[in-house]
Amino acid sequence: MILAQLQIRGEDDAGDSCVADNGFCPSWIADNWERYQDPFLEHLALTLISVAIGFVIAFGLALVAHRRRWLIPPITQITGILYTLPSVALFFLLLPLTGRGKTTAVIALVAYTLLIIFRNVITGLEGVPAEARDAGRGMGLTPRQLLWRVELPLALPAIMAGLRIAVTTTVGLTALVFLAGAGGLGEEIFNDMQFRSNVVVAGGLCVLLAVVLDLLVLAAQKLITPWTRKVAT
Amino acid sequence: MPPTHTAQSEGPSGYREAVELEFAEATKRYPGADSPAVDGLSLTVPAGEICVFVGPSGCGKTTAMRMVNRMIDISSGDILVGGRSVKDRDVDELRREIGYVIQQIGLFPHRTIADNIATVPRLLGWDRPKINARVEELLDLIGLPQDMSKRYPAQLSGGQRQRVGVARALAADPPLMLMDEPFGAIDPINRERLQNEFLRLQAEIRKTIVFVTHDIDEAIKMGDRIAILQVGGKLAQYATPSEILLHPANEFVEDFVGADRALKRLALLRVSDIELGPSNGGPSIRDTALVRDALSDLLQHGALHGNVVDSGGRTVGGISMEALARLAKA
């Protein structure tokens, strides 16, 4: 995997003293804005797809482990190992299996979300007040009804908190998947790391994406957990 | 005049008839424990009565109660609700037919008051208009304003939450209710109010109720019958409050009801329940007061007799220390 540094400063920029001095150049940014559009969308798609797949897997694992408590330590350990694995190493490990490209990137990104989401779902379910559970069982809710009508709704704040961490972490990690040939804003940053305007725009878009997605998840949480907004009058 | 349904007592929608509850040698043994938690408990609670399980901690009173709706499995013996063994029933179906109130209340924090109350009716598949009507009716019954229905439990006071807990247990009009220290977490003043409210409610709804408490005064106040349990899950005495105060079955019961059982007995009666003599003056005492409180009034005034008056302030008779002493000794 050899990566060549490109010069993205074009011939026609030669006369621009700002570009020549490697400053922060609003005019260059305005002229080259379109260059970032596709990588940005790519970055967004990779993040959302990975978090969505990671959520489904981790949530499923958590539901299974909620019933069979002995599964919690091994699942935590395995997802923990995945979490600590350096991403570059993981790309290389996956290369012979899935080759360069988006599949490799998504598999790696999903691997990093598992621990965060799994832990938060388990923590949320463990935080359900024992008396709500007892009252629910005592009123004749089946175990399944108890899970979906009482336990999971009450675990939502913790689950959504996990989702927020997973989303922001994934936005950051997606900036590295260009190493596996999957594009994204990281590729733009790397294309000309010496050029300040480029790094500021591509990096800034990463941060913006992370913040906006985080706020969206937070807004969704507020929307679906109305009881957490109302406190004693 | 429309035909009357004499089988049902009068109420907002007519209540389902209460059922008899029978413990038949019901026993709970935990593996590894030396002695059973509940040891061969046999007693019958007549339909429509409050039976209080009372005793020190570790006496198995809560365990005994929780065996009724099979929150705890019966090791041996049986429990019959309306003549049917609880062991033959589908456990969730059984629980939906038994009202359940616990000390920590256990309202669902993520559900509004209306949704909390509607829990069991929804499980039973009632249609929406019927559920809404029932919620309204129950809020009236427990004396909460209708606009509370859209609030969340965290927005209510402890006493209000406890009332909602009772309303939720009553929602599907169960013939039997289990109440585990329902007023235990409420401050003394509000507890007394809730107790009185609940007794008024019970006079109307006439459910069969198992009421667990560790407080003998609450037991005497709430119970039509009291089952006193001692450590090891053995039934020490099962009788009416006045019988227990008058004739404690053994030393344990005598100790448990306390040295002031003569006073407690006076608290079972109201002034209007006893035979009054002619008035010889003294401090005014309402005829609706508890006899114990009348005695306290006399002691406070240093008086040997009091003047009993009705709601209009008219003298209806007199009460004397001698009469009270005879009453307490009986």
Side-chain angles (χ1 to χ4, degrees):
Chain A
M1 185 154 37
I2 291 157
L3 296 150
Q5 276 272 286
L6 296 173
Q7 280 282 337
I8 59 171
R9 284 164 275 191
E11 308 271 301
D12 50 333
D13 294 326
D16 190 329
S17 69
C18 173
V19 173
D21 296 345
N22 191 15
F24 177 70
C25 318
S27 63
W28 181 90
I29 293 167
D31 286 345
N32 290 272
W33 188 245
E34 275 160 33
R35 161 194 305 277
Y36 298 99
Q37 223 167 51
D38 286 346
F40 177 81
L41 293 175
E42 209 167 40
H43 205 110
L44 176 67
L46 281 168
T47 302
L48 293 183
I49 289 167
S50 304
V51 172
I53 296 173
F55 183 81
V56 170
I57 296 173
F59 187 74
L61 286 173
L63 291 194
V64 172
H66 181 55
R67 279 288 137 68
R68 299 170 188 80
R69 312 289 304 171
W70 58 270
L71 280 171
I72 294 177
I75 294 177
T76 308
Q77 267 153 23
I78 293 167
T79 53
I81 290 168
L82 288 173
Y83 187 71
T84 45
L85 224 54
S87 51
V88 182
L90 190 54
F91 296 147
F92 274 106
L93 285 173
L94 287 169
L95 223 46
L97 301 169
T98 51
R100 277 171 65 78
K102 300 237 173 348
T103 314
T104 304
V106 169
I107 291 173
L109 292 174
V110 166
Y112 289 107
T113 62
L114 296 181
L115 177 71
I116 302 167
I117 297 170
F118 176 77
R119 285 304 307 254
N120 274 271
V121 177
I122 291 291
T123 307
L125 289 173
E126 279 170 356
V128 173
E131 64 267 21
R133 213 176 258 141
D134 186 72
R137 285 210 312 132
M139 283 187 290
L141 272 80
T142 63
R144 178 184 291 260
Q145 288 168 333
L146 192 67
L147 178 69
W148 290 93
R149 298 186 190 188
V150 178
E151 295 180 303
L152 283 174
L154 289 175
L156 269 177
I159 295 173
M160 297 302 276
L163 208 52
R164 289 175 66 189
I165 304 172
V167 164
T168 35
T169 312
T170 305
V171 170
L173 281 169
T174 303
L176 295 176
V177 298
F178 72 94
L179 293 170
L185 287 166
E187 187 157 25
E188 290 309 306
I189 298 176
F190 190 79
N191 274 343
D192 192 345
M193 284 203 290
Q194 313 301 323
F195 183 30
R196 282 207 187 101
S197 297
N198 173 50
V199 174
V200 166
V201 175
L205 283 172
C206 274
V207 175
L208 186 72
L209 185 58
V211 170
V212 169
L213 287 179
D214 185 50
L215 288 176
L216 282 176
V217 179
L218 181 64
Q221 180 193 329
K222 296 281 169 205
L223 204 67
I224 60 178
T225 60
W227 66 94
T228 58
R229 281 176 286 148
K230 308 265 176 84
V231 281
T233 45
Chain B
M1 224 181 116
T4 51
H5 300 276
T6 47
Q8 290 186 323
S9 61
E10 271 179 58
S13 59
Y15 295 105
R16 212 189 319 179
E17 217 157 337
V19 292
E20 184 183 86
L21 170 67
E22 184 185 351
F23 288 77
E25 289 292 319
T27 300
K28 178 65 196 179
R29 243 177 258 104
Y30 284 104
D34 295 337
S35 60
V38 176
D39 195 357
L41 181 63
S42 290
L43 57 84
T44 301
V45 187
E49 290 201 356
I50 301 181
C51 167
V52 179
F53 286 0
V54 67
S57 39
C59 72
K61 54 191 188 290
T62 296
T63 308
M65 186 206 85
R66 286 167 72 89
M67 287 197 291
V68 175
N69 64 351
R70 291 180 50 197
M71 292 295 278
I72 292 177
D73 281 319
I74 306 166
S75 305
S76 67
D78 206 351
I79 294 174
L80 308 168
V81 175
R84 276 176 83 186
S85 166
V86 296
K87 294 198 281 194
D88 298 341
R89 307 283 309 273
D90 173 79
V91 67
D92 295 313
E93 198 184 290
L94 173 76
R95 288 173 185 166
R96 288 168 198 179
E97 272 182 32
I98 299 176
Y100 187 59
V101 184
I102 53 176
Q103 181 181 347
Q104 309 85 343
I105 313 170
L107 293 183
F108 301 140
H110 63 299
R111 294 266 177 95
T112 62
I113 299 310
D115 287 340
N116 264 288
I117 293 174
T119 304
V120 179
R122 282 208 185 115
L123 291 173
L124 295 173
W126 292 15
D127 58 42
R128 195 176 284 271
K130 189 176 172 195
I131 291 177
N132 292 344
R134 182 64 179 154
V135 169
E136 253 176 59
E137 186 178 77
L138 283 162
L139 284 172
D140 279 343
L141 195 67
I142 58 169
L144 282 189
Q146 293 295 334
D147 60 8
M148 290 255 173
S149 68
K150 294 277 164 278
R151 297 210 189 161
Y152 289 97
Q155 296 171 283
L156 269 57
S157 71
Q160 289 171 332
R161 279 203 287 268
Q162 190 54 59
R163 289 185 185 91
V164 174
V166 171
R168 183 172 69 168
L170 283 170
D173 198 21
L176 171 65
M177 301 251 291
L178 306 178
M179 307 179 83
D180 187 3
E181 307 226 13
F183 310 130
I186 310 286
D187 64 90
I189 293 170
N190 276 306
R191 184 184 315 150
E192 175 135 15
R193 262 206 1 235
L194 284 169
Q195 287 168 342
N196 294 338
E197 255 173 42
F198 187 75
L199 285 174
R200 269 201 301 279
L201 189 62
Q202 166 67 356
E204 196 178 329
I205 62 182
R206 287 275 145 216
K207 300 289 181 193
T208 309
I209 294 168
V210 174
F211 189 110
V212 170
T213 180
H214 62 268
D215 176 358
I216 184 68
D217 292 310
E218 186 171 55
I220 291 166
K221 178 169 185 180
M222 304 303 288
D224 294 309
R225 281 155 203 267
I226 299 176
I228 299 187
L229 292 149
Q230 59 193 76
V231 177
K234 283 194 175 36
L235 183 63
Q237 188 168 11
Y238 180 51
T240 61
S242 61
E243 178 67 15
I244 280 177
L245 292 169
L246 218 56
H247 306 296
N250 56 30
E251 217 170 302
F252 170 78
V253 176
E254 212 176 309
D255 273 358
F256 192 76
V257 296
D260 62 339
R261 61 192 165 92
L263 280 178
K264 286 190 170 116
R265 215 156 54 233
L266 292 182
L268 290 172
L269 296 168
R270 295 192 180 276
V271 173
S272 53
D273 296 334
I274 64 172
E275 218 174 297
L276 300 174
S279 176
N280 290 316
S284 285
I285 289 164
R286 268 301 305 277
D287 56 353
T288 52
L290 295 177
V291 176
R292 184 190 54 192
D293 297 343
L295 173 64
S296 171
D297 260 7
L298 292 185
L299 290 172
Q300 195 177 328
H301 287 90
L304 290 174
H305 35 74
N307 183 37
V308 179
V309 296
D310 65 10
S311 57
R314 287 178 297 266
T315 299
V316 293
I319 193 167
S320 71
M321 277 295 196
E322 289 106 306
L324 289 173
R326 275 198 305 278
L327 205 61
K329 186 173 157 284

